Amino acid sequence: MLLIYCPYCEEERSELEFRQAGDAHIARPTNMTEMTDEEFEAFFFLRDNFKGLTFERWRHLNGCGRFFNAARDTVSDKFLTTYKAGLPKPDVSTLRPAAAAPVETHEATESDAK
């Protein structure tokens, strides 16, 4: 089970208390009435789903109920940092690179079993 740090409650809580709420730091359209159907579809439904560092919005649903942002490595599923909504994206160079942390899998540790 993952423990996620809520920057508002200032404590780690079980992942069961949280819900992912999409990408963080998205430039939202200023006038949706002028969007074509294709532009509307692209903004609301089409997202990149790549490996590595991603910035996401999360909500502490069963806690304070507030939204916050998180930098998460999608390969290891580890949260590198969480920060309050409205704050700028943290400097990527200060975050631990995703490739530096080995991902421990069952297959990798199976030979260590006694």
Side-chain angles (χ1 to χ4, degrees):
M1 177 174 299
L2 289 173
L3 292 177
I4 301 173
Y5 180 80
C6 176
Y8 295 102
C9 296
E10 298 182 348
E11 64 181 349
E12 288 185 329
R13 303 297 298 167
S14 163
E15 67 182 296
L16 301 174
E17 292 189 14
F18 298 89
R19 294 294 178 268
Q20 205 266 5
D23 295 339
H25 308 288
I26 297 174
R28 304 196 185 279
T30 56
N31 192 350
M32 286 192 217
T33 59
E34 296 176 2
M35 294 175 75
T36 66
D37 289 343
E38 292 78 17
E39 291 169 334
F40 182 87
E41 175 191 28
F43 176 74
F44 282 98
F45 301 111
L46 304 179
R47 295 281 184 249
D48 292 330
N49 188 16
F50 57 90
K51 289 182 179 181
L53 179 64
T54 186
F55 292 90
E56 304 168 325
R57 286 174 43 94
W58 284 78
R59 184 173 183 209
H60 193 176
L61 193 63
N62 296 336
C64 63
R66 298 182 78 175
F67 285 93
F68 61 92
N69 294 330
R72 185 175 65 89
D73 180 352
T74 61
V75 175
S76 65
D77 206 26
K78 291 185 179 181
F79 284 77
L80 304 177
T81 189
T82 60
Y83 52 101
K84 294 179 179 180
L87 293 178
K89 191 184 290 191
D91 182 10
V92 175
S93 66
T94 63
L95 300 175
R96 180 176 46 87
V103 178
E104 188 172 293
T105 63
H106 173 70
E107 292 79 12
T109 60
E110 193 171 54
S111 63
D112 296 338
K114 305 282 185 210

